[in-house]
Amino acid sequence: KQEVTQIPAALSVPEGENLVLNCSFTDSAIYNLQWFRQDPGKGLTSLLLIQSSQREQTSGRLNASLDKSSGRSTLYIAASQPGDSATYLCAAHNNNDMRFGAGTRLTVKP
Amino acid sequence: DTGVSQNPRHKITKRGQNVTFRCDPISEHNRLYWYRQTLGQGPEFLTYFQNEAQLEKSRLLSDRFSAERPKGSFSTLEIQRTEQGDSAMYLCASSGRGLADTQYFGPGTRLTVL
């Protein structure tokens, strides 16, 4: 059974800092790993999807990496902004199953 | 492409009542997923469809939960004899043809059972 863990649970940084969010998973037989953003009371917005054969994906100030052998993924956010404040979730997609971590709640202070 | 839509957005019901939620996926997507999310947790996978076929339903929380996608387009999730523990956000997502495709989520239906 796949288990996904995200550390830290919460993070507060001043505006402009670069930061890294961590995601670990126990079963490396994944199709892909996806990072999402969730604003309070809202649905999830897909940020980046890394296929199992890929090592990283980039979109704007976001970069996500995947190391299947160690069961880890990281989401790097450059030059953080107050608008980046949200909960960030990672999800590992195995056969007929998608497991989410509990998320990292990010606050970027102006 | 108008995105994934869910109705209603909020539902308040009394314990023991049945409720039904609807999800309309992105039109060209053939895969549709249902999740439940409780406060402070990530979404919990419930079931998914490929076209009208329900390929995984063992993760439905109990036999009070059922889902349909009769024509391979919209889907409904029904909860019978609701309990207070069913209070949560119910999320729907859709994706394209591949297992590795990005899932796009709807805004969710927030259920409160009194």
Side-chain angles (χ1 to χ4, degrees), chain B:
Chain B
D1 176 3
T2 58
V4 179
S5 62
Q6 292 187 245
N7 288 288
R9 295 292 307 277
H10 303 275
K11 178 70 178 180
I12 300 174
T13 191
K14 293 182 179 180
R15 189 175 51 189
Q17 298 294 307
N18 299 342
V19 293
T20 300
F21 310 139
R22 176 175 169 132
C23 171
D24 287 89
I26 293 171
S27 58
E28 64 268 27
H29 285 178
N30 69 336
R31 289 175 178 262
L32 186 148
Y33 305 78
W34 284 100
Y35 297 85
R36 182 180 81 159
Q37 187 177 26
T38 53
L39 197 61
Q41 299 298 315
E44 178 183 12
F45 171 76
L46 298 178
T47 187
Y48 94 98
F49 295 84
Q50 181 169 308
N51 299 312
E52 65 274 13
Q54 190 173 12
L55 298 186
E56 175 58 57
K57 56 182 179 180
S58 66
R59 301 279 302 281
L60 286 168
L61 300 165
S62 77
D63 59 7
R64 298 183 296 105
F65 287 72
S66 63
E68 294 183 342
R69 195 182 183 197
K71 298 183 179 179
S73 56
F74 73 91
S75 175
T76 57
L77 178 69
E78 182 182 17
I79 308 174
Q80 295 182 329
R81 305 180 303 281
T82 52
E83 303 173 356
Q84 287 185 325
D86 296 332
S87 295
M89 177 78 88
Y90 290 85
L91 295 164
C92 173
S94 70
S95 70
R97 296 190 172 275
L99 278 170
D101 278 3
T102 297
Q103 293 191 20
Y104 295 89
F105 279 75
T109 294
R110 179 165 297 284
L111 172 66
T112 302
V113 182
L114 301 176

Side-chain angles (χ1 to χ4, degrees), chain A residues 25-52:
Chain A
F25 49 94
T26 56
D27 183 355
S28 62
I30 58 173
Y31 291 119
N32 61 54
L33 188 132
Q34 199 164 350
W35 283 93
F36 296 88
R37 168 187 172 136
Q38 187 172 32
D39 294 288
K42 302 292 180 61
L44 280 67
T45 301
S46 178
L47 298 173
L48 290 166
L49 180 146
I50 312 176
Q51 306 286 6
S52 62

